[in-house]
Amino acid sequence: MDFGVVLQTNPPAARTVQLSQLAEAHGFSHVWTFDSHLLWQEPYVVHSAILAATRRVTVGPFVTNPATRDWTVTASTFATLNEMYGNRTICGIGRGDSAVRVTNGRPTTLKALRESIHVIRELGNSRAVEYNGATLQFPWSRGSKLDVWVAAYGPLALKLTGEVGDGFILQLADLDIAEWMITTVRQAAENVGRDPDEIAFCVAAPMYIGDDTSESRAHMIEQCRWFGGMVGNHVADIVAKYGEGSDVPAALTDYIAGRTGYDYNSHGKSNNDHVDFVPDEIVERFCVLGTAEEHIAKLEKLRALGVTQFAGYLQHDNKEETMRVYGETVIPALTPPVTAKR
């Protein structure tokens, strides 16, 4: 299993770079950042600084979208960063949430998402692509490599992911929901003749290391309750489209009954003041909280479901300590030892 961190590009940018360096030092393979250009600093500018300050980590948006950025510009950004830093980028993409909603926009259609994935991947891999009736290719790009991982929740988005995605991003760590979604993506891949084992499966959720006291548990839950609110935005869309009696697991849909609104100015913040509708149980199910042993136990179960990467959100007050414990205890426990060559 690989491990990533998910950061917000809050100023100062030097702080984001510093956290990325710490992540690399502690053995994380990926550094992801939010992509909402109005709520936080422009991620791709910060990505360049992260790549310049590190040597091994792969860097990308978690996640970008086809609506607020021209697809060819997005592809050019990745190809440029790959030329500068040696194929260390990755593209996480979805239909759009905070980046589009703060401008009173709407997520894109699945058709537009599918088309954008194709255009970005082909150009980002130094290949030609048909776009708007023209054949396009970066004449300056040679040997760029770019995987496109798709963030999805609903049945049709999961189907699309299995059909065209290099990877699947699931933004919650509930075991039952993960099993259903991974199975759905794998089946969609098989239905179009793809090998599902070639798809990366990334589960992303807040990770918080703490002790086993009730006070510590309560604090961890409060620090991570914002995540249930963020996931609730996507769930609300699914319920509106498919209804409460759909194939979507009840554990994912029931808790939003008390949801009355959402302020994107508090999006992804531990002090989010309008997520009281998220019960403690959902925080526990959706996140990875507790002692190192508790983290290892839950991550082992996710790995058994086919998860190939866990990406931990660090929007809380214990960033450095959580990364340290992961580097010293959690990551080694879930990483097979390297066998010396004879």
Side-chain angles (χ1 to χ4, degrees):
M1 179 182 280
D2 290 333
F3 290 85
V5 296
V6 186
L7 307 173
Q8 288 176 343
T9 52
N10 293 308
R15 170 66 168 155
T16 307
V17 175
Q18 178 192 48
L19 289 171
S20 301
Q21 290 175 307
L22 280 173
E24 180 174 78
H26 287 306
F28 290 87
S29 61
H30 288 67
V31 172
W32 305 91
T33 73
F34 285 49
D35 176 13
S36 291
H37 58 290
L38 290 170
L39 297 177
W40 302 288
Q41 292 179 316
E42 171 56 36
Y44 294 115
V45 176
V46 181
H47 289 177
S48 187
I50 293 171
L51 289 161
T54 57
R55 293 294 175 265
R56 299 184 308 278
V57 289
T58 298
V59 180
F62 212 78
V63 298
T64 192
N65 70 86
T68 58
R69 299 181 184 277
D70 181 273
W71 309 346
T72 62
V73 175
T74 296
S76 180
T77 299
F78 287 116
T80 301
L81 291 173
N82 282 341
E83 188 281 324
M84 293 172 67
Y85 301 108
N87 287 333
R88 291 168 53 207
T89 67
I90 190 167
C91 179
I93 193 168
R95 294 176 57 219
D97 182 37
S98 59
V100 295
R101 295 187 195 271
V102 294
T103 60
N104 288 327
R106 300 183 64 183
T108 63
T109 64
L110 289 176
K111 180 177 183 292
L113 177 60
R114 183 187 295 267
E115 292 172 352
S116 72
I117 291 168
H118 177 66
V119 170
I120 292 169
R121 180 163 49 209
E122 295 306 293
L123 291 175
N125 282 280
S126 301
R127 297 191 291 259
V129 69
E130 297 297 315
Y131 178 66
N132 283 347
T135 300
L136 305 179
Q137 186 169 13
F138 299 135
W140 45 266
S141 180
R142 298 287 186 276
S144 177
K145 296 185 183 300
L146 179 71
D147 280 353
V148 181
W149 292 11
V150 185
Y153 288 102
L156 292 179
L158 294 170
K159 178 176 179 290
L160 178 152
T161 302
E163 291 172 349
V164 303
D166 296 310
F168 166 46
I169 295 173
L170 169 57
Q171 291 166 299
L172 56 84
D174 180 89
L175 296 171
D176 294 334
I177 296 170
E179 181 176 16
W180 174 74
M181 291 191 174
I182 289 171
T183 299
T184 302
V185 171
R186 291 181 64 89
Q187 186 61 58
E190 291 178 354
N191 289 344
V192 295
R194 298 186 69 197
D195 182 357
D197 290 337
E198 295 182 357
I199 300 173
F201 290 89
C202 175
V203 159
M207 57 180 182
Y208 196 119
I209 291 286
D211 58 42
D212 57 2
T213 65
S214 58
E215 293 82 5
S216 177
R217 201 79 188 184
H219 181 73
M220 287 186 282
I221 289 172
E222 284 307 315
Q223 283 285 301
C224 297
R225 197 179 303 277
W226 64 268
F227 186 68
M230 186 181 83
V231 171
N233 299 323
H234 302 285
V235 175
D237 286 344
I238 294 171
V239 172
K241 182 175 179 62
Y242 298 101
E244 295 183 1
S246 68
D247 291 335
V248 180
L252 186 59
T253 59
D254 288 351
Y255 82 98
I256 67 164
R259 181 180 183 268
T260 57
Y262 193 81
D263 181 1
Y264 277 90
N265 290 311
S266 298
H267 189 63
K269 295 182 179 180
S270 61
N271 62 352
N272 192 317
D273 58 0
H274 50 277
V275 291
D276 291 343
F277 71 93
V278 181
D280 292 359
E281 178 191 2
I282 286 293
V283 181
E284 292 271 16
R285 292 184 64 162
F286 284 13
C287 303
V288 184
L289 312 176
T291 64
E293 291 72 23
E294 289 178 288
H295 284 243
I296 292 168
K298 186 166 188 177
L299 292 172
E300 284 180 335
K301 292 176 181 177
L302 286 168
R303 183 172 62 177
L305 295 176
V307 174
T308 58
Q309 181 179 145
F310 173 66
Y313 285 89
L314 287 172
Q315 285 65 57
H316 54 64
D317 61 3
N318 199 32
K319 298 176 178 64
E320 285 87 352
E321 177 65 6
T322 294
M323 283 196 288
R324 181 191 69 79
V325 174
Y326 261 72
E328 293 181 1
T329 305
V330 179
I331 293 176
L334 289 145
T335 304
V338 177
T339 304
K341 295 182 180 179
R342 295 185 177 180

